[in-house]
Amino acid sequence: MSYFDAASSAPLHPVARQALLASLDEGWADPARLYREGRRARMLLDAAREAAAEAVGCRVDELTFTSSGTRAVHTGVAGALAGRRRIGRHLIVSAVEHSSVLHSAEDWEAAGGAVTTVAVDRAGAVAVEAYEAAVRADTALACLQSANHEVGTEQPVAEVAEVCREAGVPLLVDAAQSLGWGAVPGPWSLLAASAHKWGGPSGVGLLVVRKGVRFAVQGPVDERESGRAAGFENLPAIVAAAASLRAVRAEAAQEAVRLRELTERIRARVPQLVPDVEVVGDPVRRLPGVVTFSCLYVDGETLLHELDRAGFSVSSGSSCTSSTLTPSHVLRAMGVLSEGNVRVSLPAGTPAEEVERFLSVLPDTVAAVREKLGAPAPVTVREEGALVVDALGKRCPIPVIELAKVIGDVPVGATIRVLSDDEAARLDIPAWCEMRAQEYVGEEPTEKGTAYLVRRLS
């Protein structure tokens, strides 16, 4: 079985395993106690904090260990907003942030705060000028991920951090996906990360709050971890997290070159091997091991199951893999195709032979899924010169499949109305038009759903 979902959780690094087992014997006592066992535990905790701080590029007393990366984000956002409540109640986030950031923003808005969501381009990147324009006199905090978890696009963090510094606004960086590859550049103010993303154990997060940043811990304050993370420290996991971060950093430069070559191979060859595929994400400014593509006329859930049967563990942002039947907020913000979406994220050490095997299996797998989905015949009628495709009650990718079947039945310049009540159609039909050089005219509300208008250009 080839595990190609390291962006969700990387396999446990051998150094993390060794450190975890060793610290189970040496680090079980309370590091706050003064007896021998407590002092030994304190030494392990201090050494782990020093190693993690060195990797992050911060002071030791600026770094807090939390119970997860999500907890680090929630604590960081809430504490920074509370600490700057006299400045204002305005928060800035990007449209492609991790759900932990977006959920924090939703809670803030529900409590009466103001939130500005900065849009991204089709590669998933924000414009520095957009963040600069979003900053207001009452802006308390800005958030920006270092790299996207679904498409791998790296964000201009250093430039945005400089804009925020000049405006006197702290920037919180979600560095979960990138910290294993290197320190985050720029004058950022807060940083959050998660150990299981770089090969450490789950249940350990990092929160860094730079000196001088106004920060007010929310909720009951505990005496541990500077009051920012309540409860007894999971010392064995913390030691393993710090040890593995140091280890992956030592390997990062060489491994990044190797994984970039493998993902570039996937980016280049998938469109050659499989027709009607859109490779998404920035082709240059991206994480070394992540590549994402979407396949027209494919049910994402079925495709993932078939790839799993073929021996490959991958993930997807397709609405077809979600109980909500709505596409990933990242793909939606980018305006790219969501149906048949596949994210391949290679863990360190992935053999080139496994990538080649994936490329050999993928074409027949996609073709088989498309064949299964090709059976439904489109229901079409003529309505005042326009061809109407009734795809009501049919989920992705059926509306796009039925549109593709009839586009050749109308003359150039004529319009097709696709009726659909699937939210994914709002994203996938315009994306199909761009891929197939047809004109997406817009949408109109109908009694049972939405009519999407497409004009044939060729």
Side-chain angles (χ1 to χ4, degrees), residues 136-378:
R136 307 185 328 204
D138 63 338
T139 301
L141 177 68
C143 300
L144 180 63
Q145 59 188 196
S146 55
N148 186 258
H149 49 290
E150 288 195 27
V151 300
T153 297
E154 294 179 331
Q155 301 291 356
V157 171
E159 296 88 339
V160 170
E162 186 60 37
V163 165
C164 291
R165 186 192 65 80
E166 292 178 357
V169 174
L171 177 69
L172 184 150
V173 178
D174 173 12
Q177 291 295 336
S178 72
L179 193 59
W181 297 108
V184 177
W188 48 266
S189 301
L190 302 97
L191 179 141
S194 185
H196 74 100
K197 299 293 188 179
W198 66 67
S202 59
V204 180
L206 303 180
L207 173 62
V208 178
V209 182
R210 295 285 200 190
K211 291 297 181 182
V213 176
R214 294 179 181 177
F215 193 90
V217 178
Q218 299 301 286
V221 176
D222 193 72
E223 67 273 12
R224 299 178 186 273
E225 292 298 309
S226 303
R228 293 173 183 162
F232 197 95
E233 295 92 345
N234 185 353
L235 188 53
I238 288 172
V239 171
S244 58
L245 180 56
R246 175 178 284 179
V248 299
R249 280 292 190 82
E251 306 160 353
Q254 182 175 356
E255 189 63 13
V257 172
R258 199 181 69 84
L259 290 186
R260 283 190 189 279
E261 191 281 326
L262 293 179
T263 52
E264 187 58 41
R265 190 182 306 181
I266 297 173
R267 289 182 64 90
R269 289 180 56 189
V270 165
Q272 297 171 355
L273 296 169
V274 181
D276 298 317
V277 164
E278 181 179 18
V279 181
V280 301
D282 195 290
V284 178
R285 294 191 59 167
R286 57 186 174 86
L287 292 170
V290 178
V291 56
T292 306
F293 56 89
S294 299
C295 307
L296 276 173
Y297 322 133
V298 168
D299 177 342
E301 185 172 10
T302 302
L303 180 57
L304 261 61
H305 284 317
E306 291 301 317
L307 287 172
D308 181 53
R309 290 176 59 187
F312 295 97
S313 301
V314 298
S315 63
S316 174
S318 171
S319 62
C320 306
T321 62
S322 168
S323 60
T324 63
L325 294 176
T326 58
S328 147
H329 72 277
V330 173
L331 301 178
R332 189 166 60 245
M334 294 168 62
V336 297
L337 184 70
S338 73
E339 67 183 48
N341 179 259
V342 174
R343 181 187 68 183
V344 174
S345 49
L346 306 177
T350 298
E353 294 77 13
E354 287 304 292
V355 171
E356 286 299 324
R357 189 169 75 85
F358 175 78
L359 291 170
S360 68
V361 165
L362 183 66
D364 288 344
T365 304
V366 174
V369 175
R370 283 175 171 166
E371 184 176 359
K372 289 180 182 178
L373 293 170

Side-chain angles (χ1 to χ4, degrees), residues 118-119 126-135 156 159-160 163:
V118 177
V126 302
V128 178
E129 296 78 12
Y131 262 78
E132 188 172 18
V135 172
E159 296 88 339
V160 170
V163 165

